[in-house]
Amino acid sequence: MDPPDRPSRPRTGRPRTFDEDDALDRAMEVFWEKGYEGSSLPELTAAMGMNRPSLYAVFGNKEALFRRAVERYQSTRLDFCDAALEAATSREVVERLLRGSADVQTCPDSPHGCLGTSGALACGDEARPLRDELVALRSAREQRLRQRLERAVAEGDLPAHADAAQLASFVATIVQGMAVQAAGGATRDELYRTIDFVMAAWPGKQENR
């Protein structure tokens, strides 16, 4: 006599078709749109297509997930920065950085603005370490730009009296300002017009005497 069939156990955890990168992209967009503290665990799990135990098992807690989302954002949305810094002139470098930023900040398939600017913009004391990390990342990008502009001064691409640190700070401020404007509804064309204004005032070789 055949033994009775055992009742099947309910499936738990990650589905077989689970795609970690896709889930991370969805979490990134929630944080991007709502910020760290504005993103609830139910919203994150619903967007990622997984339950809370699975989220903790794969990504850790909400703070660890946010850090992974920021890393994902940098590698998939800010990947244009490295190529921009390799451009031949400081004008090309800055224009590529600004236009690339505007493109990301106004992409129709993603939340508008910048994850690094909005993600922890209004964080309480518990999230202060995350805000500090985002500030450090922005500072590191500004430092790389400063070094590239210092090279431009040394090569004669910028005037000898040009202040590379101040110029890098100026560009970083424009990028952050565009992110705020984009999050508030500014279009890509509007940001491009701001960039045109910035580039019209950018110092060039002809000023180097």
Side-chain angles (χ1 to χ4, degrees), residues 123-151:
C123 285
D125 290 341
E126 291 185 2
R128 186 178 295 276
L130 293 176
R131 185 178 64 186
D132 291 344
E133 289 173 24
L134 291 176
V135 170
L137 289 172
R138 289 197 297 270
S139 296
R141 288 194 294 271
E142 183 178 328
Q143 171 74 0
R144 291 185 65 198
L145 177 57
R146 181 185 67 79
Q147 292 171 345
R148 177 62 183 85
L149 297 180
E150 286 176 344
R151 194 182 97 195

Side-chain angles (χ1 to χ4, degrees), residues 94 142-143 145-147 149-150 153 158 161-174 198 202-203:
V94 170
E142 183 178 328
Q143 171 74 0
L145 177 57
R146 181 185 67 79
Q147 292 171 345
L149 297 180
E150 286 176 344
V153 173
L158 281 172
H161 59 76
D163 187 331
Q166 189 61 47
L167 287 172
S169 177
F170 170 66
V171 172
T173 300
I174 295 297
V198 171
W202 189 255

